Amino acid sequence: METVIQVKNISKRYKITHWQGGYLTLRDVISNTFKHPLRFFKNKMSNIISGESREDFWALRGLSFSVQKGEVIGIIGANGAGKSTLLKILTKITPPSEGEIVLRGKVSSLLEVGTGFHPELTGRENIFFYGAILGMKKKEIVDKFDRIVEFAGMQKFLDTPVKKYSSGMYVRLAFSVAAHMEPDILLIDEVLAVGDAEFQKKCLEKMKSVARDDNRTILFISHNMNAVRGLCNRCVLLEKGEIKMVGDTEAVISAYLKHREGEFGKAVFEYPTDQSKPINIKKIKILGADGTVTAHLEAGMPFSIELGYSVNQAVAASRIFISCVNEEGVELFVSCDTDKQPELFTNREPGNYRATFQFPATNEISLAAGDYFLRVRVTSDPQADHLIPLTIENLAKRFVELPGVMALASKWHLEKIE
C-alpha cells in the first residue's frame, strides 16, 4: 500500500506569558488620586513595571506515525491531548516547531461543522458560501447542489436564514456540504457531535463509502467512541501531546476508557480563564435533584449541569451543547442552549454568566445506573470542548437507558453575574 501521510517526530511549542503586575482602573484613579495621590501612583506604577514571565508549553512532543492510502484512522484522547493541534499542523494552519510532515495528494479539512456559515444568509446561499470556504469551485457546487440538499433533507427550508435553524438542521446542512468534497485526504475534527441517531448513521455510512469506494484516506477526531468504532480501522491515542498507543480501534478505545475511569468522583471542574476566547467556559458543576453539588446521582432522578462562562467578545453565531455518552461511547442525549433561547445564537452580550441545564428524568427518559461521560462544547470555539465523568447510582430501582440519541429541548436557565 502507498503511504500518503508521514508524521516524523513532530513537536509544537507555544510561548505562554504570565503577567506579574497589576493594571490601572478608572475607579482606582478617581477614588484614590484625590485621597493619596503620591502614594497611589507610586504603588501602582511599581506593580505595573514588575514585568512578565514566559514559559514554554509543548502541545505536541515527538509524534511519529504513518497512514496508508484508503485507511481511516481515529485520533482520540482527552481535552488538551493535542488532537486539534495535530490537525492544524496537517492542514498547514500552523507550522510545527520541530519535525516534518509528508502529505501525498489533495488535502481538505473539516475542523468544525458550520464554522463558515453566516447566520443572516439563507440555507441556499450558505451552501455556496461554505462550499467556497472548503475549497469547492462554483461549478462543482452547482453540479452537486441537488445531491447536497437531498442528503441533508432540507428542501423545505433552503430559503430560510440559518439563524432560524435548529441545531440539528444546522448540522445536517453543514455536514452535507462538507461530505461532497472530493479530496485525496480528508481531515475531520468533531463533526458528528450533534444530530439525531439516524443522521449520524447516515454520515458514518457516507464517510465509509468515501473511504471504501473512492479509496480516500480519512483522519477522524472524535469524543464519540461509537462513531470511531463504526468508522475507523486503526486508532492513535494521544495523552498530553504524546502518542500513548497506536493499534486496533477496539484495543485503543478500551485503553482510553480505562484510563478515564480514574476521574470519576469529582463534581466540580474548573478551567483556566482565557480572555482571547469569545466564549470561555470556566467552571462545570454537577448538581443533584435537590440542587446541591454531588458526584453521585440517583437513577431515575433529575439532575442539573451548571456552567460558569464568560462572553469576552462578540461572536456572530454560537451554541453551547451538552451531550451524554455511556461507557461504550454510545451517545444517549444531546441538548443545546439555543433550542429554547434562539436569540443566544446571534446575540450574547459580553459578561459573566451562569447557565443551568436540567435533565428531566422520568420513567420514559432516564439513565440507568452506571458510569457516563458528559460533553460540553461551544460551537464557536473548537478548543472549548470538555469531557467530564458522571456516575449514576442504583439506590432505588433500575431504569432503562434512553433509546438512541434523543434531542432534549430541556430547561435551560441563564443569569448574568456581575
Side-chain angles (χ1 to χ4, degrees), residues 151-154 166-173 175 191-205 224 226-227 321 323 330-335 339 377 403-408:
F151 186 89
M154 298 288 294
S166 69
S167 55
M169 294 164 63
Y170 192 87
V171 170
R172 279 177 175 270
L173 190 60
F175 183 86
V191 298
L192 297 180
V194 293
D196 55 63
E198 182 181 352
F199 186 68
Q200 287 193 15
K201 182 179 179 181
K202 190 176 181 180
C203 293
L204 286 171
E205 289 301 322
N224 186 335
N226 196 44
F321 285 97
S323 57
V330 178
E331 193 166 46
L332 303 177
F333 72 77
V334 61
S335 186
D339 286 341
R377 186 173 70 96
V405 182
M406 296 193 68
L408 299 180

Side-chain angles (χ1 to χ4, degrees), residues 283-299:
K283 184 178 289 189
I284 301 175
K285 293 182 181 179
I286 302 172
L287 308 178
D290 59 356
T292 59
V293 176
T294 179
H296 303 281
L297 305 174
E298 183 178 351

Side-chain angles (χ1 to χ4, degrees), residues 328-391:
E328 300 300 317
V330 178
E331 193 166 46
L332 303 177
F333 72 77
V334 61
S335 186
C336 174
D337 68 336
T338 59
D339 286 341
K340 284 292 186 181
Q341 297 173 281
E343 67 277 4
L344 293 177
F345 180 58
T346 54
N347 183 29
R348 292 183 191 265
E349 296 293 332
N352 295 311
Y353 294 87
R354 182 188 296 117
T356 306
F357 160 73
Q358 298 176 326
F359 178 79
T362 66
N363 286 346
E364 290 75 31
I365 302 175
S366 61
L367 296 177
D371 292 330
Y372 301 86
F373 290 100
L374 288 174
R375 182 184 178 216
V376 180
R377 186 173 70 96
V378 181
T379 59
S380 58
D381 181 7
Q383 302 299 320
D385 194 338
H386 307 288
L387 199 67
I388 64 173
L390 181 75
T391 298

Side-chain angles (χ1 to χ4, degrees), residues 268-269 279-287 291-293 304-311 320 322 337 341 344 348-358 376 411-418:
V268 179
F269 304 83
I279 298 177
N280 178 207
I281 292 180
K282 297 186 287 188
K283 184 178 289 189
I284 301 175
K285 293 182 181 179
I286 302 172
L287 308 178
T292 59
V293 176
S304 300
I305 305 299
E306 182 181 288
L307 310 178
Y309 67 89
S310 61
V311 178
I320 298 178
I322 289 182
D337 68 336
Q341 297 173 281
L344 293 177
R348 292 183 191 265
E349 296 293 332
N352 295 311
Y353 294 87
R354 182 188 296 117
T356 306
F357 160 73
Q358 298 176 326
V376 180
K411 292 182 179 179
W412 281 81
H413 176 71
L414 181 68
E415 58 181 315
K416 192 170 185 179
I417 306 170
E418 295 300 331

Side-chain angles (χ1 to χ4, degrees), residues 78-237:
N79 296 317
K83 305 184 299 297
S84 295
T85 301
L86 174 60
L87 253 65
K88 287 179 181 178
I89 291 175
L90 290 172
T91 54
K92 300 182 179 179
I93 293 175
T94 184
S97 302
E98 298 175 358
E100 178 187 5
I101 287 179
V102 178
L103 300 171
R104 297 182 175 91
K106 180 182 177 183
V107 180
S108 288
S109 61
L110 186 55
L111 301 186
E112 185 71 16
V113 163
T115 49
F117 271 29
H118 194 293
E120 299 297 332
L121 298 180
T122 66
R124 184 186 304 274
E125 292 167 333
N126 268 298
I127 289 176
F128 286 90
F129 184 64
Y130 189 40
I133 289 177
L134 294 176
M136 299 170 69
K137 296 181 179 180
K138 184 177 180 180
K139 185 180 184 305
E140 184 181 1
I141 299 173
V142 171
D143 292 341
K144 297 178 179 180
F145 186 86
D146 290 340
R147 280 181 285 162
I148 291 172
V149 174
E150 181 182 359
F151 186 89
M154 298 288 294
Q155 295 90 334
K156 187 176 179 180
F157 306 99
L158 271 183
D159 296 307
T160 302
V162 299
K163 67 181 181 181
K164 297 182 180 180
Y165 284 11
S166 69
S167 55
M169 294 164 63
Y170 192 87
V171 170
R172 279 177 175 270
L173 190 60
F175 183 86
S176 184
V177 176
H180 287 81
M181 295 186 296
E182 295 182 353
D184 299 307
I185 301 171
L186 181 58
L187 310 176
I188 304 173
D189 188 359
E190 290 294 1
V191 298
L192 297 180
V194 293
D196 55 63
E198 182 181 352
F199 186 68
Q200 287 193 15
K201 182 179 179 181
K202 190 176 181 180
C203 293
L204 286 171
E205 289 301 322
K206 176 65 176 178
M207 287 191 283
K208 284 180 182 178
S209 68
V210 166
R212 180 180 62 250
D213 301 335
D214 301 328
N215 205 26
R216 296 197 182 102
T217 305
I218 298 176
L219 260 64
F220 180 55
I221 286 180
S222 181
H223 282 297
N224 186 335
M225 296 300 105
N226 196 44
V228 174
R229 280 191 178 97
L231 182 64
C232 306
N233 42 42
R234 279 203 303 147
C235 271
V236 176
L237 174 59

